[in-house]
Amino acid sequence: MNGCLTVIPARLASTRFPRKILARLGGRTMIEWCWRSAVAARLGPVLVAADSREVAAEVRRFGGIVIMTPPSCPSGSDRVWLAAKSRREPVILNYQGDMPLLKPATLRATVKALNKSVDIATAVIALPPGARAQSPDVVKAVLAKDGRCLYFSRSSVPFFRDRSPLRRWEHLGLYAYRRESLRRFVSLPPSPLEQTERLEQLRALDAGMTMRAAVVRERPVSVDTPSDLRRAQTMLRRGHQ
């Protein structure tokens, strides 16, 4: 796809799992896995927005292009904008480096969802009943019939007062922005909803920006803890390609 720039924000000092982007998975670092997935999606150029020389050295080792950004960036979105603002691509894909085994088709579906009527596209998967639907660590998305994102929450939403055929959706941390939409988003102050739920996408909805979700089938492992990394290792042993 022409006109899309993929940026992978790579912060070394992550809160819950420090140095996770350099953790090894099947002989490669997490950041290399993410870079390979982004390149395989064939959406356009791929940059890694690094915050340290150690990360930059690793990216250069496997042949990636790295842009240095300050360690003090308040969010991954700010880091992506700093890396992308001097470029010209009209679409910017923020592929956070915590889903190392993500399939390229999921990246393509997210970008495809960015039609002319929306500012930001993202991705969701079906969320069946059970422990994940109740966990505050799993972000839920509430969608309109046309895929527009109405709300995101750590709570189990929507609430089913009676039996309902309505599906619940789990949000994946992928964002495709129009260039002007990303510029506007990072210029906005954090909103009360964002600060309450600790979900930065609520800043966009609070400001009246439109979001649309691609429904994908893949259930990737999001690596936030060492135990998540072990789950990803198990996926590799079971034949993930």
Side-chain angles (χ1 to χ4, degrees):
M1 180 177 294
N2 294 325
C4 179
L5 173 69
T6 299
V7 182
I8 306 171
R11 177 171 173 255
L12 189 61
S14 53
T15 304
R16 285 192 286 175
F17 187 0
R19 301 177 60 83
K20 70 178 181 181
I21 56 172
L22 296 182
R24 301 198 74 81
L25 174 64
R28 296 173 181 160
T29 56
M30 287 256 297
I31 189 62
E32 183 176 354
W33 279 105
C34 294
W35 177 81
R36 286 176 176 271
S37 179
V39 170
R42 298 181 182 276
L43 291 167
V46 179
L47 304 179
V48 176
D51 72 342
S52 72
R53 292 181 179 179
E54 192 174 358
V55 173
E58 167 62 9
V59 174
R60 295 187 181 107
R61 182 196 63 78
F62 59 69
I65 300 172
V66 64
I67 302 294
M68 296 304 299
T69 54
S72 58
C73 283
S75 72
S77 299
D78 292 278
R79 197 175 303 283
V80 167
W81 175 244
L82 284 177
K85 68 179 183 178
S86 63
R87 306 274 305 197
R88 295 186 177 182
E89 290 84 357
V91 174
I92 301 166
L93 176 64
N94 177 353
Y95 174 17
Q96 300 175 31
D98 57 3
M99 291 184 285
L101 303 181
L102 197 69
K103 295 178 181 177
T106 297
L107 299 176
R108 290 193 293 267
T110 302
V111 172
K112 188 177 180 180
L114 190 70
N115 60 34
K116 294 181 179 180
S117 65
V118 297
D119 297 300
I120 306 168
T122 189
V124 298
I125 53 177
L127 180 61
R132 288 188 65 79
Q134 306 302 320
S135 172
D137 293 329
V138 176
V139 179
K140 295 84 179 175
V142 180
L143 306 183
K145 290 189 293 185
D146 62 357
R148 283 180 300 114
C149 301
L150 302 178
Y151 193 65
F152 299 88
S153 182
R154 297 184 182 279
S155 298
S156 185
V157 291
F159 173 73
F160 293 172
R161 181 171 180 175
D162 300 305
R163 290 186 178 182
S164 172
L166 197 65
R167 284 187 172 182
R168 284 196 176 102
W169 303 104
E170 178 177 343
H171 180 236
L172 304 183
L174 293 169
Y175 299 98
Y177 295 88
R178 298 193 180 284
R179 172 169 290 276
E180 176 58 26
S181 299
L182 179 56
R183 186 205 62 78
R184 181 189 173 197
F185 177 78
V186 299
S187 73
L188 293 169
S191 75
L193 282 175
E194 172 187 0
Q195 292 174 321
T196 299
E197 294 255 20
R198 303 297 295 172
L199 298 173
E200 71 171 358
Q201 61 268 42
L202 292 176
R203 186 192 319 175
L205 295 184
D206 225 4
M209 299 178 77
T210 54
M211 295 183 67
R212 183 169 180 259
V215 175
V216 299
R217 294 183 179 182
E218 177 184 10
R219 184 174 294 280
V221 175
S222 180
V223 177
D224 296 311
T225 65
S227 63
D228 293 333
L229 186 64
R230 290 191 289 271
R231 287 200 300 128
Q233 293 280 16
T234 299
M235 286 182 64
L236 273 181
R237 287 195 295 270
R238 291 177 178 173
H240 176 90
Q241 298 296 325

